Amino acid sequence: MCEMYDEILTEGLNGVIINKTEDVDIVNPWNVSSTRATGVDYEKLTKKFGCTKITSELIKKVKSIINKDPHHLLTRGIFFAHRDFDIILDMYVQKKPFFLYTGRGPSSEAMHLGHLIPFIFTKWLQDIFDVPMVIQMTDDEKFFWKDLTLEQTHTLAIENAKDIIACGFELDKTFIFSDLDYISQSRAFYSHILRIQKLVNFNQIKSIFGLGESDSIGKIQFPAVEAAPCFTGSFPHIFGVENAKTKEMRCLIPCAIDQDPYFRMTRDVAPKLGYAKPAMIYSSFIPSLQGAQTKMSASEEMTSIYLTDTPNQIKNKINKFAFSGGKDTIEEHREKGGDCSIDIPYQYLKFFMEDDKKLEQIYQDYTIGKMLSGEIKKQLIQIIQDIVKDHQEKRSKITDEMVKAYMTPRKLKFSY
Ligand code: TYM
C-alpha cells in the first residue's frame, strides 16, 4: 500500500478506506478513487457503509409493482445499493405519501455525464411514482469547498438548474432551490438546519466526514444543510404545516454513493426530530475517461465529457483518452479478445446504451476479439453525441422565466 494512503488512514478520512493490506478504495463526497483497475469494489463498499445490496428479487418486486420493465440503470446494477428502498415500495403499494429529493453542488458551469445519471433516474422515478420532488442546489457548499465567490456559486446554481430542468422534470411536481435563496426565504428550512446542527457534535462530523480542526466552520456545519431537505417540515409551501402525518412522510434520495455520509448522519438524527428516516437508492460512478481508478470529475477536465462538449470534442476525447481493455495489436486482440471489466467505452455503454440485446452482443463480440477497440469506441461516440445533442437542444429552450418558475416556493401538485 502506498504511503499516501497510509497518511490518509492515520487521519481517519471518512473511515471509508476498505482494505488496509491490498487494494484501497476511497469514497467520500470529495474524493472517489481506487487502486484497482476495475475501480471501486462496490460489494465491499456496500458492507462497509452498512447499506443493502439491490438484489434481483428487489428488482423483480419493482417490476411487479410498476407492471413494466424497470430502468436499465436499475436492471444492470448501476443503481446497486439502498437504504429502505423496499419500505418506499411498500408505501407506494399502500398509497402512503412520500417524496423525492436529490441535488447538485454547482461548482462548474458545465455539468458532466456523471452528474446526469441521478437526474435521469430520478426523472424515471418521478414518472412511475407520480410524487413531488425537491432538488437542492448547494451554492453555499461550493463556496466553502471551492475558490469561488458566493455570487459565482449562485450564478452556477442557476446555470446548472437549466441542465436539470432539461432532464424533463414536471414543473407542477418539482421545486428546485438554491440554498442561498431559500434560506433567506424560509424560516422553516433554516429552523430545520438549526435543529439538526444542535443534534450533531464535532466528533461525529470528524468521524463521518473526516473533517478536522483546521477546516472552516462553514464546512463543519454544512452537512446539516444537505440533511434538512430530507424533512417535510423544511417545505411548508409543499407539505403544509408540520404535523404527525407529515413527519411520517419519508423521502427517497437517488444519487451516487459518495453522498451516503450526509444521509447516514441524517438517518441518525431523524428519530430525534420525530421524523421517519430518509431512504436512499445509490448508483456507482461513471469512471473517468482514463480508467475506473477515479470517477468522472468536474474539476479534472480531461477525465470528463461535458454536457457542453461539441460532437468533435466528444469524438476526440473518446478516441484519445478512453482507456481501452483491448490488446496492443489487432492480431493479439483477435486471438485473446478484450477485457470489458476495464474497458471504458464498454463501461460507458452500460450506462447509456438502452438496448440490452445490443449491449450483450457488444460484450460477446468484444470479449472474443471479434469487435475491435476502434469499433466499440465508434458505437460509444455515436450514442454520446446523440445524448449530448439532445440535451443541448432541450437546454437551449429553458428560459430564465422557466428557471424562476421552478425555483419559486409554491404548492406542488400531488394526489395525497
Ligand atoms: P455533485 O454536484 O458533486 O453531484 C451531483 C450528483 O451527481 C452524482 N455524481 C455522479 N454520479 C455518477 N457518476 C459520477 N462520476 C458522478 N459524480 C457525481 C452525485 O452523487 C450527486 O448525486 N453535495 C452534493 C449536492 C447535493 C445532493 C443532495 C446530491 C445536495 N443535496 C441530495 C444528492 C442528493 C454535490 O455536491 O453533488
Side-chain angles (χ1 to χ4, degrees):
M1 188 180 59
C2 69
E3 266 183 36
M4 185 184 83
Y5 292 116
D6 253 327
E7 237 170 70
I8 292 167
L9 268 175
T10 51
E11 281 178 26
L13 180 77
N14 208 12
V16 292
I17 292 166
I18 286 176
N19 188 333
K20 288 189 183 186
T21 50
E22 296 155 20
D23 292 306
V24 178
D25 291 342
I26 298 176
V27 177
N28 61 52
W30 310 285
N31 186 9
V32 175
S33 66
S34 171
T35 52
R36 233 177 267 103
T38 48
V40 173
D41 183 333
Y42 288 106
E43 197 76 41
K44 279 187 183 157
L45 186 66
T46 306
K47 282 198 193 116
K48 181 78 193 177
F49 277 6
C51 301
T52 307
K53 198 178 154 184
I54 294 180
T55 58
S56 50
E57 282 71 40
L58 191 62
I59 296 173
K60 271 188 213 148
K61 186 172 169 175
V62 175
K63 186 173 174 170
S64 76
I65 289 172
I66 65 173
N67 220 0
K68 60 180 174 197
D69 284 335
H71 200 283
H72 70 267
L73 290 172
L74 189 62
T75 54
R76 290 184 194 157
I78 289 167
F79 275 81
F80 68 98
H82 73 103
R83 293 182 189 270
D84 293 344
F85 180 56
D86 47 341
I87 295 183
I88 294 286
L89 291 176
D90 292 340
M91 290 177 83
Y92 176 70
V93 171
Q94 293 158 14
K95 299 193 183 340
K96 288 189 179 156
F98 62 93
F99 68 104
L100 293 165
Y101 160 41
T102 194
R104 154 81 181 143
S107 58
S108 58
E109 186 157 343
M111 285 168 60
H112 61 58
L113 284 179
H115 296 133
L116 211 51
I117 298 304
F119 293 104
I120 292 173
F121 191 67
T122 310
K123 160 75 180 132
W124 179 74
L125 289 172
Q126 187 181 55
D127 288 348
I128 59 165
F129 290 141
D130 191 22
V131 288
M133 140 146 212
V134 296
I135 302 176
Q136 180 180 42
M137 310 299 291
T138 51
D139 33 18
D140 50 350
E141 175 190 19
K142 295 302 164 183
F143 172 68
F144 296 132
W145 282 92
K146 302 278 173 184
D147 187 17
L148 293 166
T149 65
L150 283 172
E151 289 69 30
Q152 285 167 332
T153 57
H154 185 259
T155 304
L156 295 175
I158 306 295
E159 286 309 306
N160 289 180
K162 291 182 185 161
D163 286 289
I164 293 168
I165 294 167
C167 293
F169 296 104
E170 288 176 49
L171 175 61
D172 56 8
K173 294 198 185 93
T174 309
F175 173 49
I176 304 178
F177 61 99
S178 118
D179 285 340
L180 266 174
D181 289 338
Y182 190 50
I183 285 177
S184 63
Q185 289 163 336
S186 171
R187 179 172 169 166
F189 182 41
Y190 190 48
S191 303
H192 279 77
I193 293 170
L194 294 179
R195 286 186 188 123
I196 296 161
Q197 286 174 349
K198 196 169 178 175
L199 290 170
V200 183
N201 65 38
F202 184 36
N203 276 336
Q204 289 166 310
I205 292 294
K206 271 202 247 182
S207 79
I208 301 171
F209 296 94
L211 295 174
E213 324 254 308
S214 57
D215 282 300
S216 73
I217 56 171
K219 287 182 185 176
I220 292 158
Q221 64 76 41
F222 172 75
V225 183
E226 185 152 334
C230 295
F231 304 124
T232 50
S234 292
F235 307 103
H237 56 276
I238 303 175
F239 301 106
V241 180
E242 194 176 50
N243 59 42
K245 231 173 150 191
T246 61
K247 283 188 157 190
E248 274 172 23
M249 206 185 282
R250 283 181 187 251
C251 80
L252 170 65
I253 308 169
C255 59
I257 197 163
D258 58 339
Q259 301 298 306
D260 186 62
Y262 290 110
F263 303 124
R264 244 183 284 150
M265 184 199 88
T266 315
R267 285 170 61 89
D268 200 43
V269 299
K272 296 174 194 155
L273 291 170
Y275 271 98
K277 291 185 179 190
M280 291 96 210
I281 181 159
Y282 290 134
S283 78
S284 53
F285 304 99
I286 291 201
S288 83
L289 280 162
Q290 286 77 3
Q293 287 93 340
T294 55
K295 68 164 186 164
M296 190 177 276
S297 161
S299 47
E300 306 274 340
E301 210 177 303
M302 285 309 148
T303 67
S304 304
I305 295 173
Y306 295 97
L307 298 177
T308 48
D309 281 350
T310 62
N312 241 343
Q313 282 173 315
I314 293 169
K315 185 174 156 209
N316 291 340
K317 279 187 186 176
I318 292 175
N319 279 335
K320 200 165 162 195
F321 298 122
F323 182 81
S324 172
K327 298 292 180 293
D328 289 343
T329 63
I330 293 183
E331 294 70 33
E332 196 190 352
H333 187 86
R334 292 269 186 235
E335 191 194 327
K336 296 183 181 153
D339 182 352
C340 284
S341 72
I342 55 167
D343 190 84
I344 290 298
Y346 177 75
Q347 295 301 322
Y348 284 17
L349 285 175
K350 258 178 88 177
F351 280 82
F352 293 109
M353 179 175 254
E354 287 181 20
D355 187 330
D356 283 337
K357 281 199 186 117
K358 221 170 156 187
L359 184 70
E360 175 59 23
Q361 192 60 53
I362 289 174
Y363 179 86
Q364 300 292 346
D365 291 350
Y366 195 66
T367 306
I368 60 166
K370 195 171 156 195
M371 180 180 241
L372 298 173
S373 189
E375 291 165 338
I376 196 169
K377 284 188 174 183
K378 202 172 159 201
Q379 296 259 3
L380 180 68
I381 288 165
Q382 189 60 59
I383 285 184
I384 302 296
Q385 283 176 338
D386 289 349
I387 288 173
V388 171
K389 184 168 170 264
D390 180 57
H391 180 83
Q392 288 172 356
E393 275 168 15
K394 288 183 175 139
R395 191 191 191 278
S396 69
K397 297 193 181 105
I398 311 295
T399 61
D400 290 343
E401 286 67 39
M402 287 162 83
V403 176
K404 208 167 165 198
Y406 278 88
M407 296 184 82
T408 300
R410 65 207 188 279
K411 270 192 180 320
L412 296 182
K413 214 167 115 192
F414 48 93
S415 54
Y416 47 79

